[in-house]
Structures are given as C-alpha cells and as structure tokens.
Amino acid sequence: MLELVKKNIHMNRWKTQVDTQVTLDDDFIVPDTMSDIAQVILDSGEVQLEPARVQSEKVTIRGKLDFHVLYRKEEGGLQTLGGLIPFEEMVNVPGLEERDYVSVSWKMEDLNAGIINSRKLSIQAVVTLEVRVEALFDTEAAVALGALQKEDDGSGELTFPQIETKTSAVNAAAIALRRKDTYRVKEEMTLSGSKPAIGRILWMEMRLSGALARPLDGKIRLEGTLLVFLIYEGEGESETVQWLEESIPFSGEVEMAGEEMIPAIDLRLVHKSIEEKPDYDGEMRELALDAVIELDIRLYEEQPLEILSDMYGVNRELTVETGEACFDQILTRNAGKCKISEKIQLPGGQRVLQICHSSGLVKLDQAEAGEDMLSLDGVLEVKLLYLTDDDSCPIQSVTELLPFHYDAEAPGITKDSVWYLEQGVEQLTAVMAGGDIVEIKAVLLLEVLVLQPVCQSVILQAQTSPLDRRKL
C-alpha cells in the first residue's frame, strides 16, 4: 500500500432553506390611563426570537412581536401604545440532522394597526420566518506521495517503486470561521438650545445605514451610522410636540483569529433603546443611546491545492482506487450600488408644510442567476412623516413601495451556485417638489458573494504489486 499525503479542508455546505409565513392577529384594549384613539399615525414592529430547538427534521421557533403604535388623541396631541404578541411555529425541514448549523431570521411582510373603536385596536401582521441549514464537514484529498519503501520487484530484489503522478490545481474555499457575535454601541446626545426639554418620549426609531464589517489585522472592523429619529412632548405647560433626527457614526472591532479572509457577514440591529437624562441644570436634555448589533459571521479562506488526479507505476503494477471530492470555489465578490429616483403624490389633497422624517427598508423579492450575472428584483419600502396645514390633524404619514432592479456581475455563475447577499440603504432623501408632490432619492448597497460547488476525481488509495513482465 502506497502512503499518500492528504490535505484536510474544513467546509460548510448550504443544504436547504425553508420559508414559512406566520399570521398574527390580536386585539388590544386601550388602558384606562390613556386617551381615546382618533387616528393612527405610525406603527412599527420587531420580532424577538428565542433560540431555535431542533428535533428530527423539525425546527421549533418561539418568539414574540413587539409592536408600537403612535396615535392622535381625540382631544388633540399624540400618545403611544405598545404590546407583545407571542407565537410558536414548527417548521418541517427534510434532511435536517442534529449536527447541522441552523439559523433563523425573520422579515416583516406586513403590519397593520386598525381602529375597531376609540378604545380598541386591531393588530395584524404577516411575518416570514427563514430557516437556513448549513452542513459543516471535512473533505480530504491526496496531494502528494508519501515516503516510498523498498519492496520485492518480482525478481527477488528489493527496489524502490518508480511512480509517476499527475496533479490538478484547485482553489478551495475553506470555511475559516463560522459564528455569531455582538457589538454594542453606547452614545450620548444633547438637545440643542432651541428645543425645549423632554417631557415624555412618544416615538423612537433607530436604523443601521452604510454598515460594513471587514476582517483587518486579525480582527473584524465595523463601521457605519446609526440613524436616530425621536418624537417627544416638550416639558412645560404647552407640551408641544417636537422631533429630533440625528446621524451617529460608529466604528469598532471584534476579536477574530486569522488574516486575509473573505467575509460574508450579515449585520442586524437586535436591541435599541433611548433614555432621557437630566443635564447639569436638572433639565431633561440628555439622551443615552444603547444599541446591540448582531454579526452573523462567515469567513472563507482560499486554499490553493495541487490534488493527485492520476498516477502510474514504471516498475510496478499499480491498482488505484478513486473517488469524488466536492469543493466550493469563490467565483466573485461584488459590491454595487443601485440608485432610485421617484416622484410620488401624497394622499388627502392637503397642503404639505414640511417633511419631518423619511425611512427606508430594502425588501428583496427575487434573485435569479443569469448569464454571468445575478439579477436582483425588489422594492424599497419608504415611510414618510409630514406636517400639513390641517390644524385638526397636522401630522400625517404615508408608506410607498418603490421597485428596483439590479444586475450584479458574476462571471461563471450557474443555477447550482450559492450566493450570500448583504443589503441596506446608504442614502435616502425626501424633498418637496411643489404642492403635494415629494421627490424621493435613494442609494442602495448590495454586496454579493458567489460560491460555486465543484466536484473532482481524487485518489483514495493505491496498491503496488510486482510488474507482470509477460505484459511487456
């Protein structure tokens, strides 16, 4: 038996993804301490998931919808109502094994807060749960002959076998790091002198913008911006409604082993809170911001290999057992930007005085491999909050869907390729274009990492025997 030098490659393989939709529907009574509802201005919801439980081709998902509703009171002014809707869903995942890596994410497809009566709200939501399954495994391939030993050549003499080999070059994408981590951002903000002190926070939004994570000098380097929007009641007798919008840049590092890795890192804001604090004069003019960013980390390392693909014996008969080994190869990493420019007409026919706030969320509808490209289709969901000249209901909101199409270059991509997509909003502006027309401009960030599975014949083992000279 010939000794073969084998190389072990640690890999992950995308096995399957199962999506399921959960419909949540519940009614909520307005507490006695709160005013009657005249109009819903804004609604928002976040899904909080517990760790998934895996059982024999089934995944049990538990979580709750944390929703908030900003509404106009019948006597005027604004108030916020919040609540939780728990849920449990069992998802069938054929082929799932205990040792597989399972990750669960969610997308809010639709959220609607409707008024049943002035003391009762109906909350309806459609949430898509995405169960992704990856198999972590090792692939072994012979890359060279080991030390040769003298053996009988059939004539009674002990000689070294003379073996000629053929190799094939392969660039294998080995998984170097697969884990989840978190990064916390803590900042403080101070109200400008022109704004009144905070009496009560009514509404808070916090989103990531232009967030990137890259391996650098043995660490993962993060940078981006937190977009913060706040509506609050001013302190004092007037209790005027105020709003505040800030962009807070952040940067930091997460410890990591290894260098020169190819990243596929998904960033998600999993916790956000803002708390008012008194300043030196005792007025509520300070804000303490706390955010937690979850990093779903995949780091790949390209390993150039010379794999033994064939061999024959010069002075020996050689019996070779072959098999097939499958590797992932990195086809491309494409970072692109997609621009959107649309004009929309606001409903109601009211004269708009000012755009208070705009926010956007990228929703991908379809990703399809074409000829040397990955075609992406989706919508940008834009929410606008604006002031009108109607004194009875001066604050209004509207949600618009703006379609987009983007072709990411990916030479060699096929239907069997596996891709990871990171998406986000880099820029978003909404300005009045006259009357009730609003011009919306946005720049979307779309980063794609494409892997191509490649299977190749490899030598598992080889056996020598004395040369049959009758065949010569």
Side-chain angles (χ1 to χ4, degrees):
M1 184 75 69
L2 286 177
E3 181 184 348
L4 300 177
V5 178
K6 294 188 178 182
K7 177 75 174 180
N8 191 62
I9 307 169
H10 189 54
M11 305 183 65
N12 76 321
R13 176 63 47 79
W14 183 283
K15 287 184 68 173
T16 187
Q17 175 174 324
V18 178
D19 296 348
T20 185
Q21 282 195 340
V22 179
T23 301
L24 304 175
D25 190 350
D26 207 348
D27 297 339
F28 283 83
I29 305 295
V30 178
D32 295 337
T33 55
M34 299 179 68
S35 302
D36 289 354
I37 301 172
Q39 180 191 10
V40 172
I41 304 295
L42 289 173
D43 54 36
S44 70
E46 299 279 339
V47 175
Q48 301 171 2
L49 294 177
E50 299 177 8
R53 193 170 74 243
V54 179
Q55 291 179 322
S56 179
E57 296 193 341
K58 295 181 186 296
V59 177
T60 302
I61 304 171
R62 289 193 179 95
K64 51 193 174 185
L65 171 65
D66 182 7
F67 73 88
H68 293 85
V69 176
L70 179 70
Y71 68 89
R72 182 171 59 84
K73 300 183 287 186
E74 284 194 345
E75 65 272 21
L78 301 178
Q79 204 157 27
T80 303
L81 172 68
L84 298 171
I85 303 178
F87 65 88
E88 179 176 333
E89 188 78 8
M90 182 172 288
V91 183
N92 292 318
V93 185
L96 177 63
E97 301 177 42
E98 293 288 340
R99 63 179 180 272
D100 289 341
Y101 186 95
V102 178
S103 62
V104 181
S105 60
W106 60 272
K107 290 191 300 185
M108 184 71 68
E109 302 292 350
D110 186 46
L111 176 64
N112 181 55
I115 302 175
I116 298 176
N117 56 54
S118 61
R119 304 298 301 172
K120 196 173 186 180
L121 273 178
S122 169
I123 305 297
Q124 297 175 326
V126 178
V127 179
T128 296
L129 300 174
E130 300 175 343
V131 180
R132 299 184 180 93
V133 180
E134 300 172 41
L136 300 176
F137 65 97
D138 291 331
T139 293
E140 202 173 51
V143 295
L145 284 175
L148 297 175
Q149 303 292 330
K150 285 185 177 182
E151 57 185 40
D152 188 355
D153 63 0
S155 64
E157 293 186 19
L158 295 177
T159 59
F160 286 106
Q162 296 179 26
I163 308 297
E164 298 293 330
T165 62
K166 179 184 177 183
T167 60
S168 299
V170 174
N171 283 326
I175 186 74
L177 182 65
R178 182 70 179 98
R179 78 161 194 252
K180 288 190 176 184
D181 212 324
T182 57
Y183 178 77
R184 185 171 232 110
V185 179
K186 282 182 173 287
E187 294 287 345
E188 291 193 354
M189 299 185 298
T190 303
L191 295 182
S192 65
S194 61
K195 288 189 174 292
I198 300 171
R200 179 177 54 165
I201 293 178
L202 297 171
W203 190 260
M204 184 269 291
E205 290 182 11
M206 193 184 303
R207 295 181 185 274
L208 288 173
S209 176
L212 298 173
R214 296 288 182 269
L216 182 66
D217 298 330
K219 298 179 180 179
I220 295 178
R221 177 76 178 174
L222 286 93
E223 57 183 25
T225 304
L226 283 173
L227 302 180
V228 179
F229 175 66
L230 204 68
I231 301 177
Y232 69 93
E233 258 182 12
E235 198 174 47
E237 295 181 0
S238 61
E239 295 185 353
T240 56
V241 174
Q242 302 285 328
W243 67 87
L244 173 70
E245 198 159 19
E246 292 286 344
S247 298
I248 301 175
F250 67 89
S251 62
E253 296 173 339
V254 174
E255 292 295 329
M256 176 200 76
E259 297 182 8
E260 298 183 2
M261 304 295 182
I262 299 170
I265 304 175
D266 183 46
L267 303 177
R268 181 186 284 265
L269 199 58
V270 294
H271 168 76
K272 51 191 176 184
S273 67
I274 292 181
E275 183 181 353
E276 62 267 39
K277 293 170 56 179
D279 61 7
Y280 291 114
D281 298 325
E283 293 186 323
M284 290 294 185
R285 306 188 65 84
E286 302 282 339
L287 291 166
L289 178 149
D290 183 26
V292 177
I293 302 170
E294 182 184 75
L295 294 84
D296 191 3
I297 304 169
R298 298 179 189 86
L299 294 181
Y300 293 91
E301 181 181 21
E302 277 197 303
Q303 296 184 355
L305 302 175
E306 291 289 336
I307 296 176
L308 284 181
S309 58
D310 198 6
M311 62 173 62
Y312 70 92
V314 177
N315 60 354
R316 296 289 192 278
E317 295 286 347
L318 200 59
T319 304
V320 178
E321 181 183 346
T322 61
E324 191 176 63
C326 293
F327 310 92
D328 284 335
Q329 292 183 328
I330 296 176
L331 280 185
T332 186
R333 180 169 179 81
N334 186 310
K337 296 182 180 182
C338 178
K339 294 183 179 180
I340 298 176
S341 181
E342 293 281 351
K343 289 184 178 180
I344 63 170
Q345 184 175 13
L346 298 177
Q350 301 159 326
R351 190 166 71 91
V352 178
L353 303 178
Q354 184 180 357
I355 301 291
C356 304
H357 172 63
S358 60
S359 63
L361 179 64
V362 180
K363 293 186 174 181
L364 189 67
D365 294 330
Q366 186 177 14
E368 185 176 357
E371 185 176 352
D372 293 335
M373 68 176 59
L374 181 65
S375 296
L376 306 173
D377 290 284
V379 296
L380 175 64
E381 182 183 85
V382 179
K383 286 188 177 182
L384 300 178
L385 187 70
Y386 57 95
L387 291 179
T388 72
D389 59 355
D390 188 347
D391 293 335
S392 62
C393 48
I395 299 179
Q396 299 289 335
S397 68
V398 66
T399 300
E400 292 286 339
L401 300 179
L402 307 181
F404 70 87
H405 174 83
Y406 181 74
D407 290 327
E409 292 184 5
I413 192 171
T414 67
K415 300 293 184 182
D416 298 327
S417 300
V418 176
W419 53 83
Y420 300 99
L421 176 66
E422 302 163 37
Q423 59 201 33
V425 181
E426 185 182 53
Q427 296 177 17
L428 176 64
T429 59
V431 295
M432 295 303 303
D436 55 358
I437 303 299
V438 178
E439 184 176 16
I440 299 174
K441 293 184 178 181
V443 178
L444 311 184
L445 281 176
L446 300 164
E447 293 195 28
V448 181
L449 175 67
V450 182
L451 303 178
Q452 181 64 44
V454 176
C455 294
Q456 186 162 329
S457 176
V458 295
I459 295 175
L460 302 178
Q461 61 183 20
Q463 178 76 41
T464 60
S465 59
L467 186 64
D468 187 355
R469 300 184 182 277
R470 290 175 299 177
K471 295 181 180 179
L472 298 177

